[in-house]
Amino acid sequence: MLPRVSDMPAPARLHAELLAELRLRAFEGDLTPAYADRIVSATDNSIYQLLPQLIAFPRSIDDLVRLARVTAEERFKDIVFAPRGGGTGTNGQSLTEGLVVDVSRHMNRILEINPEQRWVRVQAGVVKDQLNAALAEHGLFFPPELSTSNRATIGGMISTDASGQGSCLYGKTRDHVLELTTVLLDGTVWTSRPIEDEELQHIKQRSDRVGAVHRLVDAIQHGQADLIAAHFPKLNRCMTGYDLAHIRDERGRFNLNSILCGSEGTLVLIAEAKLNVVPIPKHSALVNVRYGSFDAALRDAQELIRFGAASIETVDSRVLGLAQDDVIWESVRQYFPEDDGQRATGVNLVEFVGNVETDVEISVRNVTDALTCGGPSRGRLGFTVARGEADVGAIWDMRKKSVGLLGNMQGDKRPIPFVEDTAVPPEHLADYIAEFRAALDARNLTYGMFGHVDAGVLHVRPAIDMKDPAQEVLIREITEAVVQITKKYGGLLWGEHGKGVRSEFSPRFFGPLYPTLQSIKAAFDPRNQLNPGKIAAPEDGKLLAIDGLTTRGRRDRTIPRSVRTAYDEALHCNGNGACFTWDTDEAMCPSYKATRDRRHSPKGRATLVREWLRQLATRGIDPVAETAALRSAGPWRNFPARLRNTWSRMPDFSHAVMDAMDGCLACKSCSGQCPIKVDVPTFRAKFLELYYGRYLRPVRHHMVASLEAMLPALGKVGWLHNLLLDTPAGRAATRAIGLVHTPKFSAISMRQELATRGIAMATSEALAALPAGERARSVVLVQDAFTSWYETHVVLAVLDLIQAMGFKPFVAPFLPNGKPLHVHGFLGAFDRTASRNATMLRELAATGVELVGIDASMTLTYRSDYNMLSEANRPPPVLLLQEWLVRHRDAIARTPGADEEYLLLPHCSERSLAVSSLKDWQAVFAAAGGTLRVLPSGCCGMAGTYGHEAEHRATSEQIYAMGWSKQVARWARSGRLLATGYSCRSQVKIVDGRALPHPAQALLACLRGG
Ligand SMILES: Cc1cc2nc3c(=O)[nH]c(=O)nc-3n(C[C@H](O)[C@H](O)[C@H](O)COP(=O)(O)OP(=O)(O)OC[C@H]3O[C@@H](n4cnc5c(N)ncnc54)[C@H](O)[C@@H]3O)c2cc1C
Ligand code: SF4
Ligand code: SF4
């Protein structure tokens, strides 16, 4: 039995006092010293891990003032803190061992949109895509682009002066900041914007910190203009971090915001921003040019620049390869065909935008004519052109995801950021990259590359195993080499992502201006409390060094290798934060979106499990051996001890991990959509198995887990079950075990209906005995418990459809699939159940007849959770219904009544694990003469049993309300809104009282003439 994981490090005394003081001062937001919250905030996307003492989630600007005032007091002078937004920094920008001030949870409102004057006012925690979604209805957008746009906050973007694709046309974040409302460390709230000299003189008279700061910055601008001009490179990606080169704007106005933009949370707390926004270009086109080498792509990009594109991006073969293995590829594959069976090894993406279609088309024509004439002479292989928002957007989404995908490689060596965003003058990029590559190749490192070639920025993440001390030293070695090469070409180490821990190189890049930065830091933050060690340290302070902090690798290496391998699905989370996506139409991650609590995200859960494994390792506990021991013992073993443990309620870090796991819907979206394929349901099941080896399970778990096995017997008296459920006693009983909205058995007798249709049960003998021709026109329907017993009419519709297509259906004898066992962590029982089922399926498949399942989630279990079985024991392919239908679409008759548009809300596991199968549904409807539109949607909130569990019901409905409810409200009345998931259909029925058909029912109705 696992021991209690207790005595987790409590926050330091001073932080406990700070917490108490903030509560006394009526801090309105959340304050948490809980170890689980702290460990989840201990990482960003960098290689570092710093455990904060306390996390504050302010609710308002007043909270920020309270924080500043309290920490300004003498007794709290040793408190250091870091502001935090999306936490997507690649260099530890938001990490601290002190207090984290996370504005993303509550300060995320869009305050005002002024479409006429084209500006917007937002709180600092607003996510960039959230803002653009709100602006879209006004035909406007906030243009600075970054790959993390679905989770990075405006506060974070301003603080890193973020930019990305399109920066040559639209500039960087600072170019769009009109006003900043900030809290200075003495508690002053100050709104800074470009000001005329008269106002500046007035402000300089002030005796407070605002006056001091203005006097200093103005003196720097006047006194050091020549030095500044000499040392700030004239690059599109100008030197961020106290941007001395732009203290005066193009109209000569004094602008304190040039110092604040890019200051990485070292000077002020940003509360609100007024931002410039611009019209969305009406037309866009993307020319996708393929090359035989990355170098050819880079060199040709310089040629392509002269065509005046809005942006040019280069991607190498490794990145393309990673994208091809991801769900995202499906949406872009048509634009990257192979050339003579060869995949391109470099690609340039050349974008043109404009408000007049012919202007865009002329630009495209100019480039494509040149490409056609220039031909392969420059290593070009061919090109495609994408037009319109959807297609161009899909390719940019693929490019955006590439940075995350760069982190996804198999094995212990993983691509990591530390020299990932250098910038050089674009004309030197190809030569620079050749030297950069030589430095990496000399060390036998694997890496993928892509870049904003128009801005001279290169993204690269060499693969290094940070758990290996011998490899860890490469961080310094390579960084030093890259600093040298970058300086040689007149470039910067930080072209895009900010400095963070790399601040030790500030003096080298800022040269004689570094003391000036020190003076600015000292004026804003005389006690060096705000994100100390980053960008500039006051005179006696120290800058952070790239090898001076605890790394994640160092922490992880204390977990034995065998355990790391067993929990592989959790170990490789690199904190890129894709699972924090704001977009409610993305499947990942419903529990995070509903709670806004980072513990309830894939990253949160992976982090907690990693820490739990580390804690077990420090106590000499091997969870793999524990699991084996648990499985060999009977279910009653240790019952008294488990009872005692459950009742005693002693503190245990495992409870905190359990709390995070309990909120997971096991929807599997993370396992498909996380760029690193962090698979929460898999490691969650392993954790639950061990956790419930020490504590008692709720009775409900046993009921749900045995449900599949009990259904055949229960179904025989389904009418009685249904009757009892409706009685007060029945309702009280289900409530007592924590279940709500328990489904009822279908009134249809499957046995009778099959007999009426002459459909036989499938046995390998019966299938083998079929004549070859008939066998080829046969198919076996693999039953799932829920459709068969609760929605028998859907099963019959599928069988009728199969018959209407001229095929002979058989029905596989029902055997539990085991998914509920897996979800609840009964892994021993799952293994046995899955093995039995897989054996039957293998025998049936051996006859050569195809197997097909109806419910997407249950069918996809054969491809995901069944991978836990040894290779020899795995099931044969079981097709999703649409995969089978599309193979045989020639057998679908075109019917005149089918020419309507149908709308599909797919199950989120289809979106994540079998995204191409959504196109199959469309092809199938097209074969019948109709059209099918796949609606944007996330999770419906039901996810098997989750939405039936009393304690999760409210969250389940909240998730439904985030996306599904509006689609149902809009389309359900048409009768053409379809849903593939049994869970989803149940949820719609419970919440909106509507019965959505399965697509098979709609198709059948079409084939039968409406
Ligand atoms: C996969 C990946 C791709 C990326 N691609 C790009 C890219 O294309 N372009 C780009 O520019 N960056 C990119 N980044 C880096 C990162 O996303 C950006 O720096 C982003 O702007 C950080 O925003 P955030 O909200 O996550 O901020 P955080 O990481 O939380 O914080 C960043 C910095 O801002 C400070 N900060 C945050 N909020 C406040 C506030 N309210 N007041 C004061 N200081 C604050 C923090 O202290 C910290 O120093 C990428 C990162 C990843 C992981
Ligand atoms: S779980 Fe995946 S998406 Fe989320 S932070 Fe970790 S690696 Fe990124
Ligand atoms: S399975 Fe679903 S709910 Fe659970 S962590 Fe993954 S995305 Fe979130």
Side-chain angles (χ1 to χ4, degrees):
M1 177 184 293
L2 280 189
R4 202 156 60 84
V5 182
S6 55
D7 303 325
M8 308 308 289
R13 193 179 51 79
L14 190 61
H15 289 82
E17 286 172 20
L18 176 70
L19 170 78
E21 187 61 35
L22 283 167
R23 286 204 172 126
L24 264 182
R25 308 256 182 122
F27 187 85
E28 293 165 4
D30 313 326
L31 293 163
T32 169
Y35 191 72
D37 290 295
R38 289 158 58 206
I39 197 77
V40 169
S41 292
T43 51
D44 56 1
N45 181 228
S46 71
I47 55 177
Y48 303 102
Q49 176 159 341
L50 302 188
L51 183 68
Q53 303 296 309
L54 183 64
I55 323 287
F57 300 96
R59 212 170 268 283
S60 62
I61 196 162
D62 292 342
D63 271 351
L64 294 179
V65 172
R66 284 182 188 103
L67 265 167
R69 292 223 171 110
V70 174
T71 49
E73 288 177 11
E74 185 58 23
R75 64 183 164 135
F76 292 120
K77 70 175 179 357
D78 290 331
I79 296 278
V80 294
F81 54 111
R84 187 171 172 116
T88 62
T90 49
N91 293 285
Q93 283 89 340
S94 64
L95 303 188
T96 175
E97 286 177 328
L99 164 70
V100 168
V101 182
D102 186 336
V103 298
S104 69
R105 184 183 286 181
H106 298 304
M107 294 183 65
N108 50 31
R109 278 182 305 125
I110 297 168
L111 301 169
E112 203 179 345
I113 297 178
N114 187 325
E116 289 75 36
Q117 295 175 13
R118 292 190 188 154
W119 56 258
V120 61
R121 207 160 54 79
V122 297
Q123 288 185 311
V126 163
V127 168
K128 141 112 178 162
D129 281 357
Q130 172 193 358
L131 174 59
N132 278 347
L135 288 169
E137 62 186 87
H138 304 284
L140 299 169
F141 79 120
F142 178 58
E145 185 54 295
L146 77 175
S147 301
T148 46
S149 61
N150 62 4
R151 64 262 197 205
T153 61
I154 298 298
M157 287 183 73
I158 292 169
S159 302
T160 53
D161 196 5
S163 62
Q165 175 248 324
S167 66
C168 291
L169 181 68
Y170 291 115
K172 306 176 73 187
T173 299
R174 74 178 171 85
D175 298 314
H176 299 272
V177 171
L178 301 176
E179 277 181 21
L180 287 181
T181 301
T182 56
V183 176
L184 276 67
L185 287 203
D186 61 355
T188 313
V189 177
W190 183 250
T191 298
S192 44
R193 58 176 179 278
I195 49 174
E196 302 295 345
D197 277 345
E198 196 182 333
E199 191 176 351
L200 174 62
Q201 295 315 321
H202 188 66
I203 296 170
K204 278 165 60 177
Q205 306 304 316
R206 290 170 65 120
S207 58
D208 61 2
R209 197 166 294 182
V210 172
V213 161
H214 281 78
R215 285 193 294 279
L216 174 74
V217 175
D218 190 38
I220 291 171
Q221 192 265 318
H222 284 295
Q224 302 186 32
D226 292 344
L227 205 55
I228 293 169
H231 279 86
F232 271 71
K234 311 268 175 300
L235 290 175
N236 162 275
R237 303 308 174 87
C238 56
M239 190 139 69
T240 60
Y242 314 176
D243 179 4
L244 307 176
H246 295 91
I247 297 173
R248 294 276 167 172
D249 71 7
E250 65 289 352
R251 286 167 50 187
R253 296 174 303 177
F254 177 91
N255 190 4
L256 190 68
N257 292 341
S258 66
I259 301 295
L260 300 181
C261 292
S263 64
E264 298 183 22
T266 60
L267 301 180
V268 292
L269 296 166
I270 301 171
E272 290 175 17
K274 183 175 165 187
L275 306 167
N276 168 55
V277 292
V278 302
I280 301 171
K282 291 200 176 73
H283 302 279
S284 58
L286 198 55
V287 184
N288 312 294
V289 196
R290 306 185 299 283
Y291 298 85
S293 78
F294 185 52
D295 189 65
L298 281 171
R299 293 191 189 277
D300 200 31
Q302 299 314 311
E303 183 70 16
L304 298 174
I305 279 176
R306 70 187 169 87
F307 290 96
S311 67
I312 307 183
E313 305 270 308
T314 305
V315 176
D316 82 352
S317 58
R318 187 172 299 276
V319 176
L320 277 177
L322 288 166
Q324 278 168 357
D325 291 340
D326 191 80
V327 286
I328 196 120
W329 190 249
E330 206 43 48
S331 54
V332 300
R333 66 159 67 231
Q334 56 175 312
Y335 292 109
F336 302 97
E338 293 188 345
D339 299 279
D340 297 330
Q342 293 270 305
R343 214 190 253 176
T345 47
V347 162
N348 275 328
L349 308 173
V350 190
E351 187 182 33
F352 296 95
V353 296
N355 286 327
V356 181
E357 192 173 3
T358 45
D359 290 352
V360 173
E361 283 308 319
I362 287 169
S363 302
V364 170
R365 175 73 62 82
N366 288 342
V367 172
T368 51
D369 283 354
L371 290 172
T372 313
C373 298
S377 57
R378 291 171 196 280
R380 297 168 187 152
L381 298 176
F383 65 87
T384 59
V385 182
R387 291 183 174 83
E389 200 188 327
D391 284 17
V392 171
I395 295 173
W396 284 134
D397 283 347
M398 181 275 286
R399 207 317 259 123
K400 275 187 186 183
K401 203 169 180 188
S402 303
V403 199
L405 290 171
L406 273 182
N408 183 25
M409 275 184 197
Q410 296 308 305
D412 276 328
K413 288 187 178 179
R414 293 285 168 140
I416 48 171
F418 61 107
V419 285
E420 83 286 2
D421 62 331
T422 55
V424 294
E427 61 276 18
H428 298 319
L429 190 62
D431 292 334
Y432 165 73
I433 288 180
E435 281 195 48
F436 200 130
R437 289 176 82 120
L440 299 178
D441 293 342
R443 293 167 178 88
N444 287 325
L445 292 171
T446 314
Y447 52 89
M449 284 186 168
F450 66 91
H452 313 295
V453 273
D454 49 355
V457 174
L458 169 71
H459 289 304
V460 57
R461 294 190 175 205
I464 292 175
D465 180 5
M466 289 293 287
K467 298 183 294 303
D468 176 3
Q471 294 184 50
E472 190 186 325
V473 295
L474 286 171
I475 299 293
R476 162 115 359 237
E477 204 179 302
I478 294 170
T479 309
E480 294 285 0
V482 170
V483 165
Q484 249 184 25
I485 307 170
T486 310
K487 279 192 80 77
K488 171 178 160 190
Y489 284 96
L492 293 168
L493 181 59
W494 40 73
E496 199 168 273
H497 300 170
K499 283 151 280 309
V501 175
R502 302 182 293 185
S503 294
E504 66 164 283
F505 297 100
S506 281
R508 272 203 244 175
F509 281 90
F510 287 98
L513 284 167
Y514 180 67
T516 309
L517 302 197
Q518 290 181 293
S519 66
I520 293 177
K521 170 72 177 171
F524 276 94
D525 179 16
R527 292 202 308 214
N528 200 17
Q529 285 179 287
L530 202 44
N531 234 345
K534 294 175 190 161
I535 299 190
E539 234 173 329
D540 49 351
K542 272 174 64 179
L543 287 169
L544 296 178
I546 51 172
D547 42 14
L549 297 178
T550 310
T551 62
R552 240 180 311 160
R554 265 185 230 170
R555 308 274 290 188
D556 290 350
R557 77 174 66 130
T558 59
I559 305 170
R561 178 178 285 276
S562 58
V563 178
R564 293 203 303 256
T565 309
Y567 286 81
D568 200 42
E569 318 82 16
L571 259 290
H572 294 298
C573 166
N574 70 7
N576 65 70
C579 52
F580 299 148
T581 173
W582 159 90
D583 186 353
T584 48
D585 289 336
E586 269 186 51
M588 184 163 66
C589 157
S591 60
Y592 169 67
K593 283 185 201 133
T595 59
R596 280 269 186 168
D597 183 334
R598 306 236 190 239
R599 287 172 308 142
H600 289 283
S601 69
K603 174 180 173 177
R605 295 179 176 122
T607 307
L608 287 165
V609 159
R610 269 176 42 228
E611 179 61 12
W612 177 73
L613 294 172
R614 207 182 64 80
Q615 293 291 339
L616 292 180
T618 57
R619 289 161 175 79
I621 307 296
D622 178 354
V624 181
E626 287 290 331
T627 304
L630 209 61
R631 284 199 200 159
S632 64
W636 292 101
R637 172 120 179 256
N638 288 331
F639 180 80
R642 284 192 284 146
L643 186 64
R644 244 190 343 267
N645 294 338
T646 307
W647 279 86
S648 70
R649 295 177 180 276
M650 300 281 276
D652 184 348
F653 179 60
S654 301
H655 292 326
V657 183
M658 181 61 203
D659 192 35
M661 298 302 164
D662 187 50
C664 170
L665 289 86
C667 70
K668 283 269 179 195
S669 297
C670 45
S671 60
Q673 298 201 335
C674 157
I676 315 298
K677 312 288 177 261
V678 165
D679 179 355
V680 177
T682 297
F683 68 73
R684 173 184 182 267
K686 294 177 188 175
F687 170 80
L688 293 184
E689 183 175 34
L690 277 176
Y691 179 84
Y692 287 120
R694 179 176 170 81
Y695 297 102
L696 289 182
R697 283 179 177 274
V699 177
R700 185 186 70 222
H701 280 204
H702 296 284
M703 294 208 43
V704 171
S706 55
L707 185 65
E708 276 196 295
M710 291 188 324
L711 277 177
L714 270 181
K716 292 199 172 106
V717 287
W719 60 273
L720 180 62
H721 173 271
N722 292 352
L723 207 71
L724 288 175
L725 265 189
D726 278 342
T727 63
R731 279 196 292 268
T734 47
R735 251 199 321 271
I737 52 172
L739 292 175
V740 289
H741 301 295
T742 322
K744 290 189 179 160
F745 282 95
S746 171
I748 304 170
S749 158
M750 174 95 87
R751 183 191 294 259
Q752 264 175 23
E753 293 293 333
L754 292 186
T756 310
R757 287 166 173 79
I759 296 174
M761 298 306 283
T763 62
S764 46
E765 295 76 22
L767 296 175
L770 292 171
E774 200 177 331
R775 207 178 320 138
R777 303 288 294 174
S778 298
V779 57
V780 175
L781 186 76
V782 179
Q783 298 190 70
D784 68 85
F786 306 106
T787 324
S788 283
W789 270 276
Y790 298 136
E791 286 195 329
T792 315
H793 62 286
V794 174
V795 179
L796 297 176
V798 171
L799 293 169
D800 290 347
L801 178 64
I802 292 170
Q803 284 186 324
M805 288 168 62
F807 280 78
K808 185 180 174 78
F810 288 82
V811 174
F814 174 75
L815 278 185
N817 158 303
K819 187 170 174 70
L821 290 167
H822 191 276
V823 167
H824 288 85
F826 292 95
L827 290 185
F830 172 75
D831 188 87
R832 291 188 293 278
T833 303
S835 299
R836 232 185 349 260
N837 196 19
T839 304
M840 178 192 75
L841 295 174
R842 276 199 309 276
E843 283 168 11
L844 295 176
T847 63
V849 178
E850 289 171 311
L851 310 183
V852 62
I854 300 180
D855 186 75
S857 163
M858 297 295 271
T859 306
L860 289 170
T861 304
Y862 299 123
R863 301 178 198 178
S864 53
D865 303 330
Y866 272 51
N867 287 340
M868 181 183 144
L869 302 180
S870 64
E871 209 142 320
N873 275 334
R874 294 205 185 138
V878 181
L879 300 174
L880 290 167
L881 181 59
Q882 64 267 35
E883 292 169 338
W884 183 83
L885 287 170
V886 85
R887 281 188 189 183
H888 303 287
R889 73 187 120 175
D890 292 348
I892 298 174
R894 282 183 88 81
T895 45
D899 56 355
E900 295 201 65
E901 186 186 54
Y902 288 85
L903 305 133
L904 179 67
L905 286 169
H907 192 281
C908 53
S909 59
E910 275 169 307
R911 275 199 196 280
S912 307
L913 302 177
V915 69
S916 62
S917 74
L918 299 179
K919 288 213 169 116
D920 293 344
W921 273 127
Q922 290 177 312
V924 168
F925 272 75
T931 53
L932 179 77
R933 180 145 55 101
V934 180
L935 295 177
S937 64
C939 175
C940 74
M942 183 55 93
T945 53
Y946 181 89
H948 290 296
E949 292 161 359
E951 77 266 30
H952 294 138
R953 188 61 212 161
T955 316
S956 167
E957 292 197 12
Q958 202 183 331
I959 294 168
Y960 181 81
M962 288 186 317
W964 274 62
S965 73
K966 61 175 187 281
Q967 300 288 19
V968 171
R970 182 156 180 213
W971 301 109
R973 223 168 288 135
S974 71
R976 284 174 285 109
L977 181 62
L978 315 171
T980 44
Y982 161 74
S983 295
C984 319
R985 290 190 298 273
S986 315
Q987 181 78 317
V988 174
K989 205 185 278 171
I990 293 167
V991 182
D992 279 325
R994 295 203 164 267
L996 297 191
H998 185 279
Q1001 292 173 278
L1003 268 176
L1004 182 65
C1006 289
L1007 297 194
R1008 284 179 172 168

